[in-house]
Amino acid sequence: MKDPVTAISGITYDRESIERWLFKSRTNTICPVTKQPLPRDSDLTPNHNLRRLIQAWCSIKTLQKLEALAAENERNRVFMVEAGLIKALVSFIVSCYENSETKGVEEALSLFYLVNRTSIGQSTGILTENGEIIIESLIWVLGGDDCFQDNAVQGIVSLLHILLDTCPWGRNGVVLVELGAVFDLIELELRNRPPEKKTTELVLGILYHLCSCADGRAQLLNHTAGIAVVTRRILKVSSMADERAIFIIWLISKYCGTNGVLMEMVRVGTVAKLCMVMQANCGVHLKEKAKEILRTHSDVWKDSPCSEVATLTRFAHSYN
């Protein structure tokens, strides 16, 4: 069944099949199932719900077949990329977003992961046309189900690569902030337990770019776990994650360093982490950045009701 329609008898048929049934006789005919009269000129009402289900089923089957082919060898993946599969997959995800349809998204992400490794940057070029709706769709995916299978999770990593590569272009960063990407990225990282290295590095990289503007910083601070999730990743994942996390903290402390924000940094352990960075085997530039943050706000933190933080801050202030 490709084009389902419902007859006046209440039974749904494929349009082509029921029309052939009705018009094969010159006289009025009957409903094949109920045997009720069914005149040739009777209305056939499109069954939109069933049509959507059929289309989703067909899409999933097609995506599964393509994924199996893509998994076979590099040659198949090259052919798929050359045939425009990357653009088709993104268009499919956009269509799912516009119709609030999640069926097939996981399969699309799995296939996207397989072929994106072959596309050599083609995926970032798709944002040159209709960039805003595509970004909106990608953010919708990032805020979705956290129970994807392995390849689908890697597909999300591929999407994060696209966002990181393109958020500095033109209005892309502004669009991401306007769509609430900061909130969705924090939520994604909260679900990333234990932290997967590449996902964390990409999330923090995007957050750093978005926190370069006031609205982006405001969104991070409005999330109850914003500062905490960035702080937790310091000295826990990789040197790249350390750098991106510390620079996010630097942006927040430099431009949003109210007493409330600074006390939140005490509460979630940011100050203690910055002191640990100064003693850890980190790059000199990161130690200098940590020392700059601590010294800038030492007047607040040295009087902290938490004696440990006060001691650490005084230590950092005198650290050479």
Side-chain angles (χ1 to χ4, degrees):
M1 188 179 290
K2 298 177 181 178
D3 185 8
V5 291
T6 302
I8 58 174
S9 60
I11 305 298
T12 297
Y13 299 100
D14 180 69
R15 180 183 292 278
E16 182 180 354
S17 300
I18 191 62
E19 285 181 347
R20 189 185 310 118
W21 170 269
L22 289 174
F23 287 95
K24 73 176 182 179
S25 172
R26 295 184 179 180
T27 60
N28 290 347
T29 187
I30 59 173
C31 173
V33 174
T34 66
K35 309 306 180 186
Q36 296 175 2
L38 197 62
R40 287 193 301 169
D41 58 353
S42 59
D43 290 333
L44 297 174
T45 306
N47 189 326
H48 296 297
N49 288 333
L50 182 56
R51 181 182 177 86
R52 279 195 291 270
L53 287 172
I54 292 170
Q55 289 175 337
W57 183 86
C58 291
S59 296
I60 291 172
K61 287 296 181 182
T62 301
L63 289 167
Q64 289 172 342
K65 290 178 181 178
L66 287 170
E67 183 181 357
L69 288 170
E72 284 184 3
N73 55 61
E74 178 72 9
R75 186 165 176 264
N76 286 350
R77 293 192 289 273
V78 170
F79 285 150
M80 290 177 180
V81 170
E82 290 175 349
L85 182 60
I86 292 287
K87 187 173 182 179
L89 285 172
V90 173
S91 296
F92 175 78
I93 292 174
V94 170
S95 176
C96 289
Y97 163 68
E98 292 177 331
N99 294 294
S100 300
E101 178 58 72
T102 58
K103 292 183 178 66
V105 172
E106 182 170 355
E107 289 78 6
L109 289 173
S110 297
L111 180 55
F112 187 88
Y113 163 66
L114 289 172
V115 298
N116 190 55
R117 295 176 298 173
T118 306
S119 65
I120 316 177
Q122 186 190 106
S123 54
T124 58
I126 60 176
L127 291 179
T128 56
E129 298 179 9
N130 303 316
E132 293 190 15
I133 187 62
I134 293 175
I135 289 175
E136 196 168 341
S137 303
L138 299 186
I139 294 300
W140 172 73
V141 171
L142 294 180
D145 195 346
D146 60 347
C147 299
F148 289 135
Q149 298 301 312
D150 289 345
N151 272 0
V153 171
Q154 293 303 315
I156 288 179
V157 171
S158 297
L159 297 183
L160 288 172
H161 268 293
I162 295 175
L163 293 177
L164 179 60
D165 290 341
T166 58
C167 67
W169 298 358
R171 292 192 69 257
N172 288 347
V174 174
V175 172
L176 283 168
V177 172
E178 289 175 348
L179 293 172
V182 174
F183 184 93
D184 288 325
L185 288 165
I186 293 171
E187 288 293 312
L188 178 64
E189 189 58 26
L190 285 172
R191 299 197 301 266
N192 182 27
R193 294 193 302 263
E196 193 278 322
K197 176 174 174 287
K198 182 54 67 176
T199 299
T200 294
E201 290 174 350
L202 291 168
V203 167
L204 292 175
I206 300 168
L207 284 175
Y208 169 69
H209 281 291
L210 301 186
C211 284
S212 297
C213 72
D215 288 342
R217 294 189 292 271
Q219 281 189 21
L220 184 137
L221 292 174
N222 284 336
H223 194 296
T224 55
I227 296 176
V229 75
V230 174
T231 297
R232 289 176 198 152
R233 297 307 185 243
I234 298 174
L235 301 179
K236 291 290 187 180
V237 180
S238 68
S239 57
M240 181 179 291
D242 291 342
E243 179 164 348
R244 291 172 175 178
I246 290 170
F247 271 79
I248 291 170
I249 297 298
W250 175 76
L251 286 170
I252 296 296
S253 65
K254 180 178 177 67
Y255 296 105
C256 308
T258 64
N259 280 347
V261 170
L262 296 178
M263 286 301 99
E264 173 71 1
M265 290 183 174
V266 171
R267 189 183 70 82
V268 301
T270 309
V271 180
K273 271 291 180 75
L274 292 172
C275 292
M276 291 171 63
V277 167
M278 294 177 61
Q279 301 174 73
N281 185 24
C282 296
V284 174
H285 68 295
L286 290 185
K287 293 186 176 186
E288 288 298 320
K289 191 60 68 175
K291 182 167 66 174
E292 177 186 341
I293 298 169
L294 290 166
R295 284 184 169 177
T296 300
H297 302 292
S298 61
D299 288 344
V300 175
W301 287 330
K302 68 182 176 59
D303 297 325
S304 168
C306 175
S307 58
E308 180 184 2
V309 169
T311 302
L312 287 171
T313 307
R314 292 192 187 99
F315 161 76
H317 195 272
S318 61
Y319 187 88
N320 292 321

